[in-house]
């Protein structure tokens, strides 16, 4: 799967080059292509923004610069273009699964300042996504959230069981996990997990998932 990111701050994406996503890019399972919008400014000072028509605070990113940056993406025709904005549909696990299953190439457009001129949004954007009801200074962190969440569904990034058993995959939160030592600060690992009895372990984990979901996120149980 390929992600092309249109951003004014490509250096913000360093963290995503590490760990699991970093390994997946090294193995060419996923490709992250960072495009610096500023490289497409035709101004001698590399200006990318201007004051809003009609007045108001802040600066607006100019449409032509963004459009040239978009046109520089060679295989853009078959890609889905997502604009990260607090006005978008709220991102969640099922949206992540749907996007990763239905797209080979996603273009992520990151805004900054007061936003991007509406005309280029109208021209190139297929979908708007928000990562939650709060306002960030730009779309870079949301774009990394989207890349990370979608990548976990790509074959070879994780092992299959960790996707099937994790939080939200069955609409419930995940059961608690334990590892060595058997006793930590006087608290012992639940006996059932040491029993080797697979049926009982499975049942215990299902019960735990349900109890924890009831306690922490009762809203999830009402959704079906
Ligand atoms: N840009 C600024 N805030 C955002 C949010 N909550 N989600 C997506 N993009 C954003």
């Amino acid at each position: 799967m390929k992600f092309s990111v249109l951003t004014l701050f490509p250096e913000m994406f360093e963290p995503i080059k590490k760990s699991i996503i970093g390994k997946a890019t090294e193995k060419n399972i996923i490709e992250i292509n960072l495009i610096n919008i500023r490289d497409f400014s035709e101004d001698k000072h590399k200006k990318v923004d201007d004051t809003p028509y009609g007045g108001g605070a802040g600066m607006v990113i100019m449409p032509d610069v963004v459009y040239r940056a978009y046109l520089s993406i060679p295989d853009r025709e078959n890609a889905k273009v997502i604009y990260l904005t607090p006005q978008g549909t709220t991102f969640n696990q099922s949206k992540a699964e749907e996007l990763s299953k239905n797209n080979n190439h996603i273009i992520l457009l990151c805004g900054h300042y007061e936003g991007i001129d509406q005309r280029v949004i109208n021209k190139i954007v297929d979908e708007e996504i928000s990562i939650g009801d709060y306002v960030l200074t730009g779309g870079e962190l949301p774009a990394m959230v989207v890349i990370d969440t979608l990548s976990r569904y790509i074959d070879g990034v994780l092992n299959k069981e960790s996707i099937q058993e994790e939080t939200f995959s069955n609409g419930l939160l995940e059961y608690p996990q334990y590892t060595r030592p058997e006793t930590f600060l006087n608290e012992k690992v639940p006996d059932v997990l040491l029993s080797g009895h697979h049926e009982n372990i499975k049942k215990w984990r299902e019960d735990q998932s349900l109890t924890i979901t009831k306690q922490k996120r009762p809203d999830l149980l009402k959704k079906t």
Side-chain angles (χ1 to χ4, degrees):
M1 180 163 203
K2 182 170 167 183
F3 298 96
S4 297
V5 187
L6 294 164
T7 171
L8 284 168
F9 298 95
E11 64 282 3
M12 278 184 76
F13 288 82
E14 282 305 309
I16 212 161
K17 296 181 181 163
K18 308 261 185 274
S19 185
I20 293 174
I21 306 301
K23 290 208 184 82
T25 49
E26 276 166 27
K27 286 195 269 176
N28 291 322
I29 301 171
I30 59 176
E31 186 185 335
I32 303 174
N33 178 18
L34 302 172
I35 300 128
N36 190 343
I37 295 172
R38 197 174 298 280
D39 290 345
F40 298 86
S41 168
E42 290 179 347
D43 176 83
K44 65 172 181 292
H45 303 294
K46 292 280 169 204
K47 186 177 157 73
V48 292
D49 55 355
D50 212 328
T51 51
Y53 277 118
M59 300 292 271
V60 178
I61 302 173
M62 295 182 291
D64 56 317
V65 191
V66 175
Y67 194 54
R68 281 192 294 276
Y70 165 75
L71 291 178
S72 79
I73 303 171
D75 43 353
R76 63 187 175 279
E77 301 298 347
N78 298 318
K80 166 160 264 178
V81 181
I82 295 175
Y83 175 40
L84 287 315
T85 163
Q87 298 187 5
T89 327
T90 312
F91 191 54
N92 61 21
Q93 198 69 49
S94 59
K95 184 75 206 170
E97 183 170 15
E98 182 246 294
L99 285 172
S100 75
K101 302 253 149 90
N102 296 330
N103 298 282
N104 292 322
H105 182 193
I106 290 184
I107 299 175
L108 296 160
L109 173 61
C110 306
H112 245 270
Y113 315 118
E114 285 311 302
I116 299 178
D117 186 304
Q118 189 61 40
R119 291 166 294 180
V120 72
I121 296 172
N122 296 346
K123 182 86 189 160
I124 70 172
V125 170
D126 298 308
E127 192 165 337
E128 297 187 338
I129 286 184
S130 161
I131 61 160
D133 286 341
Y134 40 82
V135 182
L136 297 159
T137 54
E140 284 75 14
L141 288 169
M144 282 187 266
V145 167
V146 170
I147 293 171
D148 192 289
T149 318
L150 266 60
S151 297
R152 299 176 72 259
Y153 285 102
I154 310 300
D155 277 348
V157 174
L158 297 182
N159 65 42
K160 285 235 162 59
E161 293 76 32
S162 42
I163 289 211
Q164 276 156 11
E165 298 206 354
E166 72 192 358
T167 288
F168 296 131
S169 63
N170 55 0
L172 297 177
L173 303 182
E174 201 187 4
Y175 49 81
Q177 298 278 16
Y178 298 87
T179 185
R180 268 174 275 277
E182 224 175 278
T183 305
F184 169 69
L185 299 179
N186 283 330
E187 185 175 345
K188 204 169 165 287
V189 170
D191 285 333
V192 61
L193 299 179
L194 307 173
S195 68
H197 193 300
H198 297 297
E199 266 308 300
N200 288 354
I201 293 173
K202 188 164 172 278
K203 174 86 181 62
W204 180 85
R205 286 179 164 165
E206 285 166 2
D207 288 349
Q208 287 287 314
S209 271
L210 198 57
T211 308
I212 289 166
T213 309
K214 272 185 197 152
Q215 268 170 10
K216 297 186 182 175
R217 292 290 306 276
D219 56 303
L220 292 177
L221 295 169
K222 294 189 198 110
K223 271 188 183 151
T224 54

